[in-house]
Amino acid sequence: MISTKKHIQQLASLLLANKIDDIIISPGSRNGPMTHTFSGYGLFNCRNIVDERSAAYFALGLAQAKQKPVALVCSSGTATLNYAPAVAEAFYLNVPLIVLTADRPDYWIDQAESQCIRQDGIYRNFTKKEISLPLGESEKELWFAARQINECLNIAVSGTPAPVHINIPLEEPLHDLVDVQLPSTKVIAQEGTETALSESSVENLATAFNKAPKVLILAGQLIPNPGLENVLSELVNTTGAVVLKEHLSNLNDPQFCGNIDTLMAAMLEDVPAKYQPDLLISFGGQYVSKALKQFLRKNKATQHWHLTRSNEHFDTYQSLTKVVNIDAGDFFELLLPKLAAKEKAYLQLWKNKEEQVMQLSEKCIALSDWSDLIVFDQIRKAIPENSVIHLGNSTPVRYALICDSVQDAHYFSNRGTSGIDGPMSTAVGFAHESEKLNTIILGDLSFFYDSNALWNNYIGNNLRVIVINNRGGNIFGLIKGPSDSPAYQEHFFTENKFKAEGIAQTFGLDYFKAENENELHGALTEFYSAKQQAPALLEIFTDAEINTKTFRGLFKFVKQ
């Protein structure tokens, strides 16, 4: 049984034609026609999540895991606003969410009608396209709606993927059903085109690359891409170029340089100009390291090429000279055969400094008191190889990037907008589709903020949640400015006196805790043992003041 609403029948038909069959539904009445149709037709994989904010982040994680669009369905009013944080995150992470919002007819907007707000253009700044379907069901209106839906679905996955929004005004009755097949609706296909560089462009780029004594390649946040990693490895072997990567780049070749923040701290005590690149090549998403951005803004490359499929002019380092509209892997494949072998002095300079910093970091951690620094080092050693690791924002992502990455692990984080509001929901959505062990590491404030991530029926046995409970927002003790303010304790740190144990019990997760290094070692052993066959939460308690002292101490130590 499906809804009698013809626009909804047509929408469902086009979604299936575009192989979009994962639907996240939040309950409501106004979206009833969509709920009846998607759940009743039998060809959609529908999941119900009450909290719209969490539901949208769940969809984000699911879409990342499946590498295909996921549709969201909600009622009218503030339900639509609750999608906004995840829609913005998906926009900056290039994830194609299909946002379907039910609405009142436009004649009720601003007329004191219940559950009714201005929904047209509500996500305008964070979608590639937004449309509102017509209310009437005449032949011309259905034709017009089908054309617009086709365009939205095509745009969502073309070029750089991103969310699209389809707003759907619906009149009562909302719950009339009919036992029919979906209509045959014309599909407007979109043929893909390959972006290609001319032979002369490749020659010119290769010549410029060969002339640059010091080439620095920045790999931003990426989904795992073995082909790209292989060609970059070959390029480093041939040319001695330096590839800088964070864990979120998902590049693991030991020739590449990591440990960026500590590396930058040590480099500034050396002679920074030695490390200044002649040619900078960037691609992928954002870098976490603020120190790297500051270094490259002060020590600008003569040339900076940014590789993109959508013509973004990202001038993050204030040195942009060329935008190359091509996939990074394709670019390096084209360039590599034309590159000359070079001395590897520049690469060796970076690798020697990295080795020095790693040794100093390990020594400092070994000498440190119980703190977040010890905790993240132990977690990194305990997480099994070939896992998926989700990093919460604020301190977790920064601590994790100080430590070595887990062998053959894939890393994800909501670094599009870098908010603390949805990392656990995103991880839960990803883990629901993943066959691997998924660990989410987040702070106590972020955990409590997003605790509704556990309020659904899709928590898999492969989920491990680690909460670093340092009793507040310890990130503000690590960065300059807030920690010196009289308002620090109440309005920045925001002291937290609560524990996660009750929430773990409420949602059926096995609970572990640790308050010192011995307890942590034992808890992690059980937490990741083969016997642990249920979702679990590990809460680790540390002291914020000691955390701040040891974190700052590490950076002083590596500057030796």
Side-chain angles (χ1 to χ4, degrees), residues 424-496:
M424 188 158 60
S425 292
T426 306
V428 168
F430 193 108
H432 174 63
E433 176 63 23
S434 174
E435 295 180 355
K436 296 182 178 182
L437 189 69
N438 279 245
T439 298
I440 168 71
I441 309 170
L442 69 171
D444 51 314
L445 296 189
S446 185
F447 169 78
F448 287 111
Y449 196 119
D450 196 24
S451 58
N452 274 359
L454 304 174
W455 183 25
N456 61 67
N457 297 320
Y458 314 107
I459 308 298
N461 293 336
N462 63 337
L463 182 68
R464 301 291 181 270
V465 180
I466 298 180
V467 181
I468 313 296
N469 192 336
N470 45 43
R471 308 296 190 183
N474 200 186
I475 181 63
F476 296 110
L478 307 184
I479 59 179
K480 294 180 180 179
S483 59
D484 300 322
S485 168
Y488 170 71
Q489 196 66 29
E490 182 176 0
H491 295 294
F492 288 99
F493 181 64
T494 316
E495 185 178 4
N496 164 52

Side-chain angles (χ1 to χ4, degrees), residues 91-389:
F91 180 77
Y92 287 107
L93 285 183
N94 308 131
V95 176
L97 298 182
I98 312 299
V99 185
L100 308 175
T101 58
D103 199 359
R104 291 281 200 283
D106 59 1
Y107 53 74
W108 284 125
I109 307 299
D110 296 336
Q111 295 299 307
E113 178 65 12
S114 63
Q115 206 168 334
C116 184
I117 66 173
R118 301 173 190 175
Q119 290 180 202
D120 275 351
I122 201 168
Y123 316 114
R124 181 173 292 120
N125 291 329
F126 309 112
T127 54
K128 289 178 78 175
K129 186 172 180 63
E130 287 196 288
I131 62 170
S132 276
L133 298 187
L135 188 62
E137 295 183 339
S138 69
E139 183 178 343
K140 284 187 177 180
E141 286 167 316
L142 287 168
W143 161 80
F144 175 59
R147 177 176 66 75
Q148 286 195 303
I149 294 168
N150 269 295
E151 186 177 0
C152 262
L153 299 184
N154 285 335
I155 284 174
V157 295
S158 63
T160 299
V164 293
H165 174 211
I166 302 175
N167 190 55
I168 308 168
L170 293 162
E171 283 188 305
E172 297 180 3
L174 300 170
H175 304 290
D176 287 354
L177 304 178
V178 61
D179 188 7
V180 297
Q181 295 294 307
L182 291 176
S184 177
T185 306
K186 181 177 69 173
V187 176
I188 302 174
Q190 179 172 271
E191 290 296 328
T193 57
E194 294 294 329
T195 302
L197 294 176
S198 67
E199 183 64 25
S200 62
S201 292
V202 176
E203 289 286 353
N204 290 337
L205 290 165
T207 299
F209 190 108
N210 288 331
K211 287 182 178 179
K214 298 182 290 185
V215 178
L216 182 62
I217 299 172
L218 293 188
Q221 185 170 3
L222 299 164
I223 61 172
N225 187 337
L228 173 62
E229 178 156 8
N230 289 338
V231 71
L232 281 174
S233 299
E234 192 174 346
L235 184 144
V236 170
N237 278 329
T238 300
T239 69
V242 174
V243 174
L244 284 190
K245 53 92 179 182
E246 294 178 328
H247 298 349
L248 299 175
S249 304
N250 285 303
L251 299 171
N252 299 308
D253 192 301
Q255 295 182 101
F256 306 156
C257 292
N259 307 92
I260 305 299
D261 272 344
T262 47
L263 188 57
M264 288 295 114
M267 199 174 290
L268 293 174
E269 296 302 307
D270 198 343
V271 181
K274 291 194 305 184
Y275 303 89
Q276 180 179 9
D278 299 302
L279 170 61
L280 176 66
I281 303 175
S282 62
F283 58 91
Q286 295 187 30
Y287 250 80
V288 176
S289 176
K290 184 177 180 180
L292 175 68
K293 296 171 188 175
Q294 292 173 334
F295 169 76
L296 288 173
R297 288 167 189 167
K298 290 179 181 178
N299 300 275
K300 290 181 173 60
T302 306
Q303 296 186 72
H304 173 197
W305 306 343
H306 181 64
L307 313 181
T308 170
R309 291 192 297 168
S310 298
N311 200 39
E312 300 102 343
H313 285 51
F314 288 161
D315 196 9
T316 312
Y317 312 105
Q318 300 177 318
S319 58
L320 186 66
T321 57
K322 195 182 297 291
V323 175
V324 187
N325 286 301
I326 191 171
D327 176 79
D330 293 340
F331 173 81
F332 292 116
E333 287 278 4
L334 287 170
L335 212 63
L336 186 59
K338 301 180 181 299
L339 298 182
K342 292 184 182 180
E343 294 289 333
K344 297 183 180 178
Y346 187 55
L347 174 61
Q348 201 58 53
L349 178 72
W350 280 82
K351 293 301 292 182
N352 288 344
K353 181 59 69 174
E354 182 187 34
E355 180 64 27
Q356 179 189 27
V357 165
M358 289 174 63
Q359 291 177 1
L360 288 169
S361 295
E362 290 173 4
K363 184 177 180 180
C364 182
I365 292 171
L367 296 171
S368 296
D369 295 327
W370 169 249
S371 62
D372 285 356
L373 195 58
I374 296 289
V375 166
F376 276 88
D377 185 58
Q378 293 301 313
I379 290 173
R380 185 262 304 176
K381 294 173 181 175
I383 294 177
E385 295 181 6
N386 201 31
S387 291
V388 178
I389 301 169

